[in-house]
């Protein structure tokens, strides 16, 4: 998805998660500080962009900024299989 769609996703999530205990989990590969966590994720990013030039692996910091703008607070980042992450933001 394009970054514009990512922005819309986080904005809408902030609206939907209006309860005190609302949470948002995002699963997939991420970059940190602009860098890939593995060479395979860098190759996957190239593949994603070959399918759709506006897609690609996103930076955690950019997603966290969108979550904060939507009123969500970062609470956890868990390493998952196949070089993926599960990141959690909560309303509060």
């Amino acid at each position: 998805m394009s970054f514009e769609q990512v922005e819309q996703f986080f904005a809408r999530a902030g609206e939907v998660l209006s309860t005190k205990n609302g949470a948002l989990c995002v699963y997939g590969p991420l970059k940190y500080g602009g860098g890939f966590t593995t060479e395979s994720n860098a190759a996957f990013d190239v593949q994603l962009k070959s399918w759709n030039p506006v897609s690609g692996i996103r930076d955690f910091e950019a997603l966290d900024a969108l979550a904060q703008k939507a009123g969500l607070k970062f609470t956890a980042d868990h390493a998952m299989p196949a070089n993926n992450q599960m990141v959690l933001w909560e309303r509060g």
Side-chain angles (χ1 to χ4, degrees):
M1 69 176 32
S2 71
F3 194 74
E4 181 180 327
Q5 291 169 315
V6 173
E7 291 174 313
Q8 292 170 5
F9 169 78
F10 275 89
R12 185 69 178 121
E15 294 169 9
V16 171
L17 299 173
S18 60
T19 66
K20 184 176 181 181
N21 297 321
L24 173 66
C25 292
V26 173
Y27 178 88
L30 293 174
K31 294 188 290 184
Y32 294 87
F36 294 99
T37 57
T38 64
E39 289 184 27
S40 64
N41 278 354
F44 184 48
D45 185 65
V46 169
Q47 184 179 33
L48 289 171
K49 290 177 179 175
S50 76
W51 294 334
N52 183 351
V54 299
S55 67
I57 296 178
R58 304 299 176 189
D59 286 295
F60 165 78
E61 293 81 6
L63 300 184
D64 190 45
L66 293 174
Q68 288 179 35
K69 184 177 178 182
L72 303 172
K73 179 182 175 188
F74 169 74
T75 56
D77 185 352
H78 301 281
M80 302 297 286
N83 303 317
N84 289 304
Q85 300 296 126
M86 185 177 64
V87 183
L88 176 66
W89 289 273
E90 296 183 81
R91 169 74 64 192

